Amino acid sequence: RVIGEDNPRYPRYISLRGYPSRVYFIQLVQNLPVIVTEGEFKAMVLHEQLGSCVNILALPGVTACHREAKQLMDRLSTNRFVWFDTEPNDSVNRAAAKLARLTGSTVLRISAPKEYNRIAPDDYVLNYGTAGILNVLGAGTCQYCSALQARSWVSPFVYQR
């Protein structure tokens, strides 16, 4: 998948014809928590910050590839999270809830401050770093993550499970 030219006549994303949409992942390690997000770029940013602490799965859209994601999650871990953009769009919230029900996951919802209309996982990471993600997850998942979490950090966002 590539990004199209910044021109309204071209699509934003261009995929190869004849190939179905698939779940994107960088690494898969059993018994590590799984975070499912929407979009390959968000997955890359999360992976860059968390490295080998969690498995990151990216869906090509909030309503796409739920069964494939469930199959992967069933093989990996029972500690599962769905983290889509937090925005006032009910369809995104419904898709996150549906995927969470299907996979037995917890939906991560970060309340955006008043000056923002929405907050995406990659925006959150870029503003608050690894310690911010670990604060959202609630606990370190390995020695490396626990050491990162020990850094003092306070979130201006409200975490809701």
Side-chain angles (χ1 to χ4, degrees), residues 18 28 40 48-50 52 90-91 104 110 124 127 148 150 158:
L28 296 177
E40 293 91 339
E48 182 179 278
Q49 290 294 315
L50 293 174
S52 60
D90 284 338
S91 64
I110 311 287
Y124 189 84
N127 286 311
L148 289 174
V158 177

Side-chain angles (χ1 to χ4, degrees), residues 89-147:
N89 183 337
D90 284 338
S91 64
V92 173
N93 299 328
R94 281 194 304 272
K98 180 180 176 184
L99 179 60
R101 279 192 307 275
L102 177 68
T103 61
S105 301
T106 298
V107 177
L108 298 177
R109 294 210 26 91
I110 311 287
S111 296
K114 292 178 183 175
E115 63 268 20
Y116 295 103
N117 187 26
R118 59 179 274 250
I119 186 95
D122 51 339
D123 299 329
Y124 189 84
V125 170
L126 294 173
N127 286 311
Y128 301 102
T130 304
I133 300 169
L134 296 174
N135 187 54
V136 167
L137 294 176
T141 56
C142 67
Q143 288 181 338
Y144 172 74
C145 290
S146 296

Side-chain angles (χ1 to χ4, degrees), residues 34-60:
V34 179
I35 297 175
V36 179
T37 191
E38 186 267 327
E40 293 91 339
F41 293 120
K42 289 179 182 87
M44 287 186 278
V45 169
L46 290 172
H47 179 75
E48 182 179 278
Q49 290 294 315
L50 293 174
S52 60
C53 296
V54 297
N55 295 299
I56 309 292
L57 303 179
L59 305 182

Side-chain angles (χ1 to χ4, degrees), residues 59-77:
L59 305 182
V62 294
T63 59
C65 301
H66 285 196
R67 287 195 179 127
E68 185 181 355
K70 181 184 181 341
Q71 290 173 347
L72 289 168
M73 293 167 88
D74 286 346
R75 293 179 184 175
L76 296 172
S77 176

